Amino acid sequence: MTNGSTRRELLGAGVAAATLAAPVRALAGDSFAGGAMPTDEAYWRTIAAQYDLPKGIVQLENGNWGAMARPVFAAYQRHLARVNTETSFYSRRGFGADAIALRDRVAAEIGAAPDEIAFTRGATEALLGLIGGYNRLRAGDQLLYADLDYDSMQAGFRSVARRRGLEVVTIALPEPATYQTIIDSYEAALKAHPRVRLMLLTHVSHRTGLVVPVREIVAMARARGVDVIVDSAHAFGQLDFKVGDLGADFIGYTCQKWIGAPLGVGLFYIKRDRLDAIDLSIGEDPGARDTIQQRIHTGTTDIAALLTVGDALDFHHRIGIRAKEARLRHLRDLWAEQGRAMPGIEVLTPSDPRLTSALTSFRLKGMTSMADNRALAKQLLDRFGIFTVERDGPARGACVRVTPGVFTSSDDVERLVAALRTLRR
């Protein structure tokens, strides 16, 4: 296998699953069997025991990236040792088959065909590749994004607009939101701006955790001749969904957040019959082959990190996505709904479970500046040992983001509730 073809296989693939070094009680079928109810603290302690967590703090910031479970980290070290020892002997003679195996597995994981995905170094690279490569725009067309979309993607839309003579349309999503008012907001924007040809849609907001009705909005946009690029960075591994559930032709993912793979692995999906809507990477020359891998050119990537995605998926499946989603929602509701009932606490996502995820933000009433919420996050850490992170919100003020993980206990969450009762006084 040539160096070029090995690199292309790297961009589209990886390794078969490895057995977990430390056993986790398996879950059966489509039910929360084996004691895997979201309120079963004994069961979730067995999950938490698979992680090495920082000492002396309650880790409620799982949104930047997710910790690797101990068996996944051990697998990463094994892969790294092999890559470091065998170097190009492995990359040129063995990695291609492993890369294809992982590509096929991850494609099945998201409900795509193997030739519809390509690996990147993260969701940001994946989504910017889709945004910059989209070739159906003409001077005078409009691009649409919302205030809760990720900053880099907003910047990508603005950059494309400047370079191609386009106009950017922005909307503020409703707060408080309902399922229907979110749909209505996009519908109103599309009616008011009939020249919109490309739209950004964030599946789960990194600011507030709001889950938007992707399928309904994508269908509405398609009926008006509008393509949609979906940012599913925070949804993959946290919510139970497949490509077909979204109905979108272009989607970006990351593996380092809720799947729990090492840093530096993401991917994008392009529906097979829409491949021609995304240009080849500028690092690729046209040739006999025309594949999705030619839409991204990363150069040499972290092979060991990519190989570990299979191990992360093993651990993910031993818990089960339905059990995982239910547990994360339970932890979110445990603190957020108690906080919502407290005078002076503003929880920035609704109670509707269709619109919520593990990630949720709050602020004290009237404290809307970044300085206010930076001080609030610092107080939570210094006084209560609770680690969160402050987020900006361009249209609605800053907030503090709380993101429990599968290793979080209900005691950790109740500690946050006790802190909120103190802070609001």
Side-chain angles (χ1 to χ4, degrees), residues 312-323:
L313 286 172
D314 284 342
F315 190 84
H316 174 69
H317 281 288
R318 294 291 294 273
I319 300 173
I321 182 56
R322 294 187 68 245

Side-chain angles (χ1 to χ4, degrees), residues 14-194:
V15 66
T19 303
L20 291 179
V24 178
R25 183 168 24 161
L27 310 180
D30 291 328
S31 64
F32 300 123
M37 292 296 291
T39 55
D40 185 347
E41 294 300 321
Y43 170 78
W44 292 103
R45 279 196 295 273
T46 69
I47 301 299
Q50 305 292 317
Y51 291 84
D52 293 315
L53 299 174
K55 305 299 183 184
I57 66 167
V58 174
Q59 170 64 286
L60 292 183
E61 161 54 351
N62 195 50
N64 198 354
W65 69 82
M68 284 181 276
R70 193 176 298 116
V72 179
F73 183 56
Y76 179 45
Q77 292 175 308
R78 292 195 301 273
H79 295 310
L80 186 60
R82 180 183 186 185
V83 171
N84 188 60
T85 299
E86 299 184 20
T87 61
S88 61
F89 179 80
Y90 171 63
S91 69
R92 294 178 187 275
R93 300 181 65 86
F95 177 62
D98 291 342
I100 291 169
L102 182 63
R103 179 200 61 192
D104 293 353
R105 181 176 181 185
V106 173
E109 183 74 26
I110 69 171
D115 64 353
E116 293 179 317
I117 72 165
F119 283 103
T120 67
R121 291 168 295 187
T124 296
E125 183 173 68
L127 289 158
L128 290 177
L130 293 172
I131 293 167
Y134 183 77
N135 60 27
R136 295 295 190 260
L137 299 169
R138 302 293 179 265
D141 286 346
Q142 295 174 316
L143 310 175
L144 174 66
Y145 65 76
D147 59 335
L148 292 184
D149 291 326
Y150 194 69
D151 308 75
S152 298
M153 306 316 123
Q154 294 186 26
F157 265 49
R158 292 192 297 269
S159 178
V160 167
R162 287 193 302 270
R163 296 177 183 184
R164 303 187 189 179
L166 312 173
E167 179 185 346
V168 171
V169 175
T170 64
I171 62 172
L173 294 184
E175 187 183 287
T178 68
Y179 201 82
Q180 190 59 48
T181 59
I182 297 172
I183 296 172
D184 292 346
S185 293
Y186 282 99
E187 183 176 26
L190 292 173
K191 284 182 178 178
H193 303 281

